[in-house]
Each structure stands twice: as C-alpha cells, then as structure tokens.
Amino acid sequence: GESVGLHLPTLSVQEGDNSIINCAYSNSASDYFIWYKQESGKGPQFIIDIRSNMDKRQGQRVTVLLNKTVKHLSLQIAATQPGDSAVYLCAENSGGAGSYQLTFGKGTKLSVIP
Amino acid sequence: NAGVMQNPRHLVRRRGQEARLRCSPMKGHSHVYWYRQLPEEGLKFMVYLQKENIIDESGMPKERFSAEFPKEGPSILRIQQVVRGDSAAYFCASSPRRDRGDSPLHFGNGTRLTVT
C-alpha cells in the first residue's frame, strides 16, 4: 500500500504464491491509473493500466482492480517469480485525457522468497 | 524502458556547478516529461514539453531549473548552481501525442545526480 514515513512497505511472498499489492489514491477526479515496476537502478517499467470506467483489467499474470468508492487500486500477480522482486509504483492521472502528469505513490517493495 | 535514452546515467557535480541532463525520446515521440525521484520519496512531475514548447512546468522549482526540447536534438534539463538537495534520480518519459490515447507513458532509466 501507500507508504507512510521514510520506509517502503514490504511484501514478502513465497515463489509460486500469488501477490496482492495495494494502493490508495488521493484524487476522486483521477480517471486513469497505472502500475509500474521499478528495479534497482532502473526507471519505472509499465505493467498495466486501467481507466476509471472499468473495475478490472487483466494482463499476462497480472490483474488490476479499481474500487472508485474507496479510492483503492490493487495489483495481483499470479504465480510470483523471483524476477518479480522489485518496487511496485501506482500512479494516478487527474489531468484528464490531455495530460500525462502522473501522481505517484512511494511504492511497495515485493520480495520473492525462492 | 526500451527506447527512451537518458545520459549520463550518473553525474557528479560540486555545489555551485551546473548539471545538464539529456533525454532522447522514443522514436516518433514528440512529447517529453521530466520527473524527479528524491531519496525516500516518490516520483514527482517536473515539466512537460513538446518540440520547442514548454506545455506545463508547474512542478519545476522556480529558480535554477530550466528545461528545453529543441527542434533538433534531445531534451535538456538544466540545473544551475546545484545544491546538495538536488541530489536525486531524474527520469524522462515520452509519448507520441498530447492526449493519452491508449499509449502509456514510457520512462528511461534515469540520470542519478550526486552533488558533493
């Protein structure tokens, strides 16, 4: 979920298990949401996105769920692998279709135990 | 991150010097965004540029920071008279169009600026 203070929340999962990473967003006017994966020393890598007119979207091994009522976003990773270990960032876009000005959360660190 | 090229990857500057960070967008992309990631903080929007135009610089500090995206060549983020608080990772992203369409924002691997 969203971090409070200086330390990232950490999620440790066993290899092969499913992971669920949560994110609370702040702006009820946001209409577009993205999940990024950031490995150490690298830039954010796009995983999956969802628009506010949807509540679920599936990709390869990943599913994003959007609950606009409580302003909550989650990322589910099926059959988690060691290569999934990274910081996961959620981002919201409240600037409308004419803007990519994203607001990012601080992220959640996923550690996969082999 | 394939396609958005940033250089240098690492940049060390002494206090008071100038830092120039370069970003070449993905092929065919004419819109560039700069974000900053301070230690222990999330990514923060700085500026959005189109070729030869600054569209939105609401996230840029008012002094010492400037950005450009000339008709030819990469986008440049310039920080004058750097201070220790400027130490951060600076990321560039690009898009092919002004409106979002169905294309997500793709980021480069960033420039890590260290001010000594």
Side-chain angles (χ1 to χ4, degrees):
Chain A
E2 290 293 327
S3 67
V4 176
L6 297 177
H7 301 289
L8 291 178
T10 299
L11 175 66
S12 294
V13 298
Q14 206 73 37
E15 181 179 357
D17 287 351
N18 296 335
S19 304
I20 300 176
I21 301 170
N22 297 303
C23 176
Y25 64 92
S26 56
N27 192 335
S28 56
S30 294
D31 63 349
Y32 178 61
F33 305 88
I34 314 177
W35 279 101
Y36 285 93
K37 173 186 179 183
Q38 188 174 24
E39 295 173 284
S40 181
K42 294 187 176 180
Q45 178 185 355
F46 170 80
I47 301 174
I48 192 167
D49 58 2
I50 188 168
R51 302 190 186 283
S52 59
N53 61 353
M54 303 171 70
D55 52 22
K56 181 179 179 179
R57 192 169 186 212
Q58 287 184 291
Q60 189 176 15
R61 276 202 312 121
V62 294
T63 301
V64 55
L65 298 176
L66 174 63
N67 185 330
K68 293 183 287 293
T69 303
V70 295
K71 292 191 286 186
H72 184 267
L73 195 66
S74 69
L75 177 71
Q76 300 177 1
I77 305 174
T80 313
Q81 302 168 1
D84 295 327
S85 294
V87 173
Y88 287 81
L89 305 171
C90 64
E92 60 181 300
N93 186 341
S94 55
S99 169
Y100 270 114
Q101 190 186 120
L102 301 176
T103 301
F104 281 85
K106 292 190 180 72
T108 296
K109 184 175 180 180
L110 175 65
S111 293
V112 181
I113 305 162
Chain B
N1 299 326
V4 179
M5 302 301 295
Q6 290 188 249
N7 66 84
R9 287 298 309 278
H10 300 275
L11 182 61
V12 180
R13 285 287 178 266
R14 288 202 209 96
R15 278 181 299 168
Q17 291 185 319
E18 179 179 284
R20 284 193 178 208
L21 288 62
R22 285 176 291 276
C23 169
S24 295
M26 287 179 73
K27 188 176 180 181
H29 288 193
S30 58
H31 299 261
V32 163
Y33 299 74
W34 286 94
Y35 282 75
R36 176 166 67 172
Q37 190 171 39
L38 290 164
E40 307 292 344
E41 290 192 23
L43 280 155
K44 300 273 194 250
F45 167 80
M46 298 182 75
V47 62
Y48 164 33
L49 308 108
Q50 198 178 347
K51 288 273 188 185
E52 299 184 281
N53 272 314
I54 296 174
I55 307 299
D56 181 352
E57 57 182 346
S58 59
M60 286 271 275
K62 293 289 183 278
E63 297 180 353
R64 301 187 297 107
F65 285 71
S66 62
E68 62 178 12
F69 189 16
K71 189 176 179 182
E72 301 291 338
S75 175
I76 306 285
L77 180 67
R78 184 183 293 110
I79 311 172
Q80 296 177 301
Q81 299 173 331
V82 295
V83 300
R84 287 219 173 100
D86 297 332
S87 296
Y90 292 82
F91 292 96
C92 172
S94 71
S95 70
R97 54 209 285 180
R98 186 187 183 112
D99 61 88
R100 280 200 309 257
D102 290 324
S103 176
L105 205 55
H106 291 281
F107 285 84
N109 279 326
T111 293
R112 274 136 190 94
L113 172 66
T114 302
V115 179
T116 61

